[in-house]
Amino acid sequence: MARFSIYSGLILVGYSSLESGDPPMGVAFGQFEPTTGYPAIQNECCTNHFDQSGLALSVKTEAGLVIPSMGVTILDYAEELLPDCIEISILGIPTAFYEEFFPAHVIKYTHQFAR
């Protein structure tokens, strides 16, 4: 499974496999694995789940390509729940890019309608 890098501006803040998704909505999400750069933005990720555009979040592939999207959010519930309860979501990925970067999500989605 691919491992994607998550940045806040130029700072690497974490990784994710983005193991789940909703292809028609252009959404990919998964467990977020923080790096040493994450504490600089953690408070914002814990307290602001409405608009994180000020964090300039982006997601890059293993090849270093930025995944185009309408937005990226990190939802950190580690303090309230469990230490590893941090999720990242990428919203509004264009269809052509979604199919390229998340083919397994597309196949899984398509198969649920096959009979």
Side-chain angles (χ1 to χ4, degrees):
M1 183 171 278
R3 187 170 190 212
F4 300 90
S5 302
I6 294 83
Y7 288 84
S8 176
L10 299 174
I11 301 169
L12 176 66
V13 294
Y15 297 101
S16 180
S17 295
L18 298 170
E19 61 273 8
S20 300
D22 184 340
M25 297 295 290
V27 174
F29 58 95
Q31 185 170 343
F32 177 80
E33 304 164 22
T35 64
T36 56
Y38 181 62
I41 66 166
Q42 186 171 15
N43 184 61
E44 187 75 7
C45 296
C46 291
T47 60
N48 180 5
H49 296 163
F50 179 68
D51 181 6
Q52 296 179 351
S53 59
L55 297 176
L57 295 171
S58 63
V59 179
K60 293 184 180 182
T61 66
E62 292 172 323
L65 302 172
V66 175
I67 297 176
S69 70
M70 296 298 291
V72 179
T73 59
I74 298 173
L75 303 178
D76 188 334
Y77 295 107
E79 194 170 296
E80 296 93 4
L81 301 171
L82 299 169
D84 60 351
C85 285
I86 308 173
E87 182 178 275
I88 180 160
S89 299
I90 309 174
L91 313 168
I93 303 167
T95 302
F97 291 99
Y98 199 97
E99 291 172 351
E100 178 183 349
F101 297 130
F102 305 103
H105 296 347
V106 175
I107 291 168
K108 182 178 179 182
Y109 178 80
T110 304
H111 278 68
Q112 72 181 350
F113 301 109
R115 291 202 177 233

